[in-house]
Amino acid sequence: MSTIYEILRASKGAAYSEDKIKKYSYLHMQPKIDKPAGALAGLSRIHGDASPQVQDRIIDMLVEIGARYKLPYRDIAHMLLFCKIESGFNPDAAAGTTSAAGLGQYTKATVEEAAKEEVSKKRLGFVLELDGHVFDAERGAYGIVLSYMFAKERAIKYFGKNYEKHLYLFHHEGWYFQATADNMAEDRPKAVLKIIQTKILPFLDPLEKLLSAKTNLSFKLLTKDDKPYAGQPYVAIYPAKAGTQGRPVKVQGSKDKPQVVLGKTDGNGHTSPIIAPGLSEVLFVILHPEYKDLLQVNGNSVEETHEVKDHETLSKIAKDHHTTVAELQKINHIANPNQLKVGQQLKLHEGEYLWRRPPMSLIGAYLQQAMNVHPAAVPAMVEHKRSHIILPQGNQAQQHAGTEQVVAIRGGATSDEVAQRKKEKAVKHETVEKDIKKQVVKPPPPAGKAIKEGLLFPFEKRPSASYHEGALQFNSSRGARRHAGCDLYAPVGTEVRAMADGVILQCYSFYWHTDAVEVDHGDFIVRYGEVAPRSAKEQQAMRGKEVKRGDVIGKVGQLIKDNGKKHKDTMLHLELYSSNLSTAKSQLTDKKRGPFQRRADLMDPTATLDKCVMT
């Protein structure tokens, strides 16, 4: 049987003669393709003139987006044929006689219409801005999905159950085409109906069958230096039965109980294969190697929001969180992805769309059912979580080393680091929580020397809960990372004092509706975290402000979860850095740097706090 790729790949079309190219066409205005390395690009502006690899990747992108919007198999097939007819899956295709360009051959008028909230936001969940980005492959793919959704609505309005035989008409002739008897009698609509009869309808059934065919998917885990990650525990969550009404089956938002498989990778880093209907959703979770010691941990939640930092782009944030620019736009209602504000809080997932980075609460619900996990332990157990769509046989996206239907996931640790971690033994201890006992994978390192003795303790009284123990201590487990500071428990409103003279570097939103204040104390920096929030204007006014030892720089804040509920514990989260390197040059948080995801000069503050004085 053929694959969808063999059916869909387009041949190179004919070029426009110079005398037919209009001045307002992209063939005249932008004849050459100029894209950064790695971007999906065509070989020219001619229909279908893209390599088979680029065409296949465009097909995969459209299939996955369609599945994540929960479109039926037949709609996804129809949408793919739209794209083949319009551009031949060449993201850089352009017409010579009109302003049409990109995957969907969007004209200037279509681009303007798509940017309206009542058009794109209503259907996609975000404002689709194609102006200046008409050749961007991902935006173009969302444009195809949008046009299909709009055209289907119009076709059903005019033709009811016979909408399939007329659907493409409302893309080719425009979303607002009036399909009256007089208009349908004209030559152009008649020509479009012939295209539908010859290039769409004959292929819908075979494509639908191939898209829905049962297939398999496995994962291969690799270390940072591309060695197999053997013996790594994982959980695969996927639908237990086929979907209904011709739709791909999903996990997110489904009322049906999924299949939950707990396993370990083999000697080659492979998981067991998952067999499911085509385009099924699979939630793949990598667990901490010592997850059994963490089943009853009362840990902290992982990041469900992201605060925009200086010089960050939406593209970088999307890459760091394993999602896409379009998804972040959709969740956060961002019209222009190039206009972010420092301090802006971005949601990472929301709603019914099948998010690539599923919420921890959903993962926790399934792990709780399958493994009897304490709900608060889930963030400490989970090192990686991702939603995958099982793409059709023959795809390029899910291949590794020549093997099809394999997703390779590369970790942040080298093979030597993995080997060392396996040698570490779990050490039992009790936490400050009375009713929960837990283990950490590794005892904290010796506290070491204080960076300076005689500094002022940040509270007037030392907390009763010890910052030497449990989740409060430096280097305790936070799942995929380690705790980068000491937590000093105190009631909301407790004044936080500057430990020494210094200058406030910045104040910004930090974690669960609290702020952090960074202070340069001369030859070291302290991040005073989880203090009561300030307004953006007040945060800005804090920058560069000189403080004296003992000055109140904030108060302990109330942690408020994403569901609006207050967290039961409140504290000052204190981090210590051994240099005064400006945070404008090197931010304290560095998510690519393990195991703390902090700058290299991070220090254990335990000994320094022990040597602090109270007055």
Side-chain angles (χ1 to χ4, degrees):
M1 182 183 287
S2 301
T3 66
I4 66 165
Y5 308 94
E6 292 169 331
I7 293 174
L8 290 170
R9 285 187 199 124
S11 301
K12 182 178 177 180
Y16 283 87
S17 60
E18 289 294 328
D19 60 315
K20 291 186 177 180
I21 297 175
K22 305 297 182 182
K23 290 184 178 180
Y24 47 79
S25 77
Y26 277 95
L27 276 181
H28 174 78
M29 297 186 295
Q30 246 178 276
K32 293 184 178 180
I33 298 171
D34 183 17
K35 285 185 172 180
L40 290 175
L43 301 173
S44 73
R45 299 254 181 248
I46 298 174
H47 178 283
D49 194 17
S51 69
Q53 292 78 18
V54 167
Q55 291 194 37
D56 287 2
R57 288 179 65 186
I58 296 294
I59 292 169
D60 288 340
M61 187 182 295
L62 286 166
V63 167
E64 180 167 357
I65 293 173
R68 290 192 180 281
Y69 275 102
K70 306 177 185 176
L71 297 182
Y73 293 112
R74 198 168 183 85
D75 281 7
I76 295 172
H78 211 144
M79 186 176 68
L80 289 167
L81 293 167
F82 263 35
C83 194
K84 180 176 182 177
I85 294 169
E86 289 298 310
S87 63
F89 303 107
N90 179 4
D92 292 296
T97 55
T98 69
S99 60
L103 286 176
Q105 291 296 282
Y106 323 102
T107 63
K108 183 179 179 181
T110 305
V111 168
E112 292 174 352
E113 196 67 19
K116 296 179 179 179
E117 287 198 8
E118 64 270 25
V119 175
S120 56
K121 187 175 179 180
K122 175 183 175 181
R123 294 167 179 85
L124 297 178
F126 67 97
V127 174
L128 181 62
E129 183 58 69
L130 290 169
D131 189 19
H133 307 281
V134 72
F135 296 119
D136 180 271
E138 185 181 36
R139 295 194 196 207
Y142 277 95
I144 288 281
V145 176
L146 171 63
S147 189
Y148 180 81
M149 290 176 172
F150 206 150
K152 183 177 179 180
E153 292 170 16
R154 300 285 291 171
I156 291 173
K157 176 182 177 180
Y158 278 98
F159 299 101
K161 293 181 179 180
N162 290 320
Y163 74 91
E164 272 192 352
K165 297 178 181 179
H166 303 86
L167 203 157
Y168 177 63
L169 182 69
F170 295 92
H171 176 88
H172 189 278
E173 294 302 292
W175 294 335
Y176 300 106
F177 174 70
Q178 302 293 317
T180 62
D182 288 345
N183 288 339
M184 292 298 294
E186 294 183 1
D187 290 340
R188 277 179 59 97
K190 287 181 178 180
V192 175
L193 292 180
K194 287 184 179 179
I195 293 173
I196 294 172
Q197 289 293 328
T198 57
K199 296 185 177 182
I200 291 180
L201 296 181
F203 300 98
L204 286 178
D205 286 344
L207 283 174
E208 182 182 19
K209 186 175 181 180
L210 288 169
L211 287 170
S212 61
K214 186 173 287 189
T215 186
N216 64 78
L217 184 69
S218 63
F219 297 84
K220 181 168 185 176
L221 306 191
L222 301 168
T223 61
K224 190 176 182 179
D225 48 350
D226 282 335
K227 301 292 177 60
Y229 209 141
Q232 172 68 44
Y234 68 88
V235 173
I237 306 167
Y238 57 96
K241 58 184 181 180
T244 57
Q245 299 178 335
R247 294 178 183 271
V249 281
K250 58 191 183 297
V251 176
Q252 296 183 65
S254 175
K255 295 180 180 179
D256 295 327
K257 187 176 181 180
Q259 187 80 24
V260 181
V261 175
L262 173 65
K264 282 190 175 183
T265 54
D266 63 18
N268 294 315
H270 282 287
T271 68
S272 298
I274 294 164
I275 301 174
L279 312 193
S280 295
E281 182 189 24
V282 178
L283 302 187
F284 186 70
V285 181
I286 299 176
L287 298 176
H288 193 287
E290 305 295 337
Y291 74 92
K292 292 181 181 178
D293 296 329
L294 302 170
L295 289 175
Q296 297 302 316
V297 168
N298 189 6
N300 287 346
S301 174
V302 297
E303 185 176 31
E304 302 289 339
T305 61
H306 177 87
E307 180 189 344
V308 178
K309 307 294 190 305
D310 282 328
H311 308 301
E312 275 194 322
T313 64
L314 202 61
S315 176
K316 180 182 183 301
I317 295 168
K319 184 177 180 181
D320 288 345
H321 292 287
H322 309 291
T323 183
T324 66
V325 170
E327 285 192 2
L328 291 180
Q329 280 186 267
K330 175 179 171 63
I331 306 166
N332 296 282
H333 310 300
I334 297 171
N336 188 340
N338 299 315
Q339 292 182 353
L340 294 182
K341 296 179 181 178
V342 174
Q344 183 177 350
Q345 294 289 329
L346 299 181
K347 295 179 182 178
L348 300 177
H349 49 71
E350 180 182 69
E352 284 298 304
Y353 178 84
L354 303 185
W355 301 109
R356 288 178 173 84
R357 190 175 184 271
M360 188 64 79
S361 57
L362 178 66
I363 301 297
Y366 291 126
L367 293 188
Q368 189 176 4
Q369 293 174 19
M371 303 166 62
N372 192 28
V373 181
H374 189 289
V378 175
M381 294 171 55
V382 172
E383 292 194 344
H384 169 95
K385 56 184 175 72
R386 186 78 185 268
S387 164
H388 298 266
I389 301 297
I390 302 182
L391 295 175
Q393 291 285 348
N395 76 82
Q396 288 191 40
Q398 294 171 349
Q399 287 190 20
H400 179 71
T403 304
E404 293 186 359
Q405 301 305 117
V406 175
V407 174
I409 299 176
R410 187 171 285 101
T414 65
S415 54
D416 288 341
E417 290 170 338
V418 170
Q420 180 61 35
R421 182 162 72 167
K422 288 181 178 178
K423 294 178 182 178
E424 295 167 352
K425 295 181 179 179
V427 178
K428 291 186 177 181
H429 71 283
E430 289 191 4
T431 70
V432 295
E433 294 85 8
K434 295 179 180 179
D435 59 335
I436 299 174
K437 294 181 179 180
K438 62 183 179 181
Q439 295 178 320
V440 291
V441 175
K442 179 180 176 183
K449 296 180 179 179
I451 196 167
K452 186 176 289 188
E453 295 187 12
L455 296 173
L456 186 68
F457 196 81
F459 296 158
E460 287 187 353
K461 296 180 180 180
R462 287 187 177 272
S464 57
S466 173
Y467 51 81
H468 289 258
E469 300 176 352
L472 286 69
Q473 68 182 324
F474 179 80
N475 198 39
S476 56
S477 175
R478 291 298 187 271
R481 64 177 178 86
R482 312 297 294 182
H483 191 212
C486 287
D487 288 342
L488 311 179
Y489 277 20
V492 172
T494 301
E495 292 183 341
V496 177
R497 307 183 298 181
M499 299 173 71
D501 293 352
V503 176
I504 295 176
L505 297 172
Q506 54 183 340
C507 174
Y508 49 88
S509 300
F510 186 54
Y511 178 69
W512 273 359
H513 302 279
T514 61
D515 278 3
V517 180
E518 293 175 3
V519 181
D520 181 352
H521 287 299
D523 53 1
F524 65 95
I525 291 173
V526 174
R527 169 145 63 182
Y528 301 86
E530 299 182 18
V531 298
R534 293 175 167 87
S535 67
K537 185 176 181 180
E538 290 171 329
Q539 290 176 346
Q540 186 64 33
M542 294 278 283
R543 289 176 179 256
K545 181 179 178 182
E546 292 187 6
V547 295
K548 296 294 183 183
R549 173 187 172 110
D551 283 355
V552 176
I553 57 174
K555 295 181 180 181
V556 172
Q558 174 64 64
L559 293 168
I560 301 176
K561 302 177 184 180
D562 293 336
N563 60 12
K565 294 183 179 180
K566 295 180 180 180
H567 188 57
K568 65 184 182 66
D569 298 318
T570 56
M571 67 205 75
L572 170 68
H573 171 81
L574 189 138
E575 296 177 13
L576 179 64
Y577 297 82
S578 61
S579 76
N580 62 350
L581 176 64
S582 171
T583 53
K585 295 182 179 179
S586 179
Q587 293 286 325
L588 300 183
T589 297
D590 182 356
K591 292 193 174 182
K592 295 182 180 180
R593 186 180 182 86
F596 296 96
Q597 297 184 5
R598 295 294 189 270
R599 217 165 71 173
D601 58 335
L602 175 72
M603 286 187 67
D604 180 351
T606 307
T608 300
L609 289 168
D610 289 345
K611 297 293 185 180
C612 282
V613 298
M614 305 309 295
T615 58

